[in-house]
Amino acid sequence: MNEQVLGLFQADLIVQHHAYIRAQAEVLQERRRQRARRRYSKKRFWVRTWLTEDERVSAGQYNNLMVKLRNEDVQSFTNYLRMPPDMFQFLLNRLTPRLQKKDTKFRRPLEPGLKLAVVLRHLATGDNYPSLQYSFRVSRHTIASFLPDVCQAIIDEFAEEEVQCPVTPDEWKEVALQFQRRWNVPHALGALDGKHVAIKCPIKSGSYYYNYKGFYSIVLMSLADANYRFLWCDVGGAGHMSDAQIFNGSELKEAMDNRTIGFPPEDPLPSDDEDTPTSSLRTTHSHSVPT
């Protein structure tokens, strides 16, 4: 009987000990929460003072330099964004419905024109996020968040409208005619080339994206007409791949092989009487594009 009482007493002590440990843990956790609340309550502003909306309007390039260039020096504006003011405004009008965000009780969203200008400047010059941050007074983290959205909005709005690959013999003949008139190159249905777009080395990718130029990249391969307009694009080839490898695995090569692309029939070259097939003109130099 005494042994049973002793056993119950020991069990009760164990239960009380565990309860005491849990209570102490809850006290410590509550103290951590209180310290965290005190620490965050001392935060006086969301962003650095020179990145506020007032500073952005008074000192940022979008509301100052770009306005001055638009009004006084159109040529410099064109050099700044690689497009004239009228084209920038056209893009902005088309993209505003896709880029406009709703106001919140915490802050007002960035205006679409500012986001478009930042992205175009990045694409035109390769300026990195910290450099754009100081120029436009927009946090580099914010730039990193909206830049993919703006690029996707441009693709969604203009891809089918601007990148149109010919599908009939008459359309391809018009491309060849423009090459002959402008560049004196007959029977050319396009200029094909690949460009290396520099990237950071993806995790655990080894040398898969490492190119012969000595940096990591993905490859943009495109077919352009005589006026530099894209007729077809392929994006995503790994940096280690040659232009020939990417082209041989592309849908363009597949369409050429199975004769579904609509190339015109053979006909003679100028001042000749023998039929010669039309062909794509492939350039021999690749260039890197900074990001």
Side-chain angles (χ1 to χ4, degrees), residues 6 23 25-26 39-40 63 71-72 81 83 88 104 111 137 142 152 163 177 185 192 217 261 263 272 281:
L6 181 60
E26 292 176 359
R39 183 167 60 252
Y40 289 119
N63 296 97
N71 296 332
E72 301 177 10
L81 291 184
M83 64 178 60
F88 175 79
T104 69
E111 55 185 296
R137 302 300 178 96
T142 303
Q152 189 61 52
V163 183
L177 182 61
V185 179
L192 181 69
S217 66
I261 198 170
F263 279 173
D272 197 356
L281 174 66

Side-chain angles (χ1 to χ4, degrees), residues 29-43:
Q29 189 174 8
E30 179 60 27
R31 289 177 179 174
R32 294 192 188 100
R33 285 196 292 262
Q34 290 177 358
R35 286 197 296 269
R37 284 195 292 266
R38 287 196 297 269
R39 183 167 60 252
Y40 289 119
S41 65
K42 295 180 181 179
K43 189 173 183 179

Side-chain angles (χ1 to χ4, degrees), residues 230-243:
F230 283 175
L231 302 176
W232 169 85
C233 294
D234 179 275
V235 182
H240 80 278
M241 301 173 68
S242 67
D243 287 351

Side-chain angles (χ1 to χ4, degrees), residues 50 52-65 133-137:
W50 59 273
T52 60
E53 182 178 0
D54 291 340
E55 283 290 318
R56 189 177 305 125
V57 173
S58 64
Q61 291 189 3
Y62 177 71
N63 296 97
N64 295 276
L65 177 62
Q133 170 184 253
Y134 296 121
S135 299
F136 290 91
R137 302 300 178 96

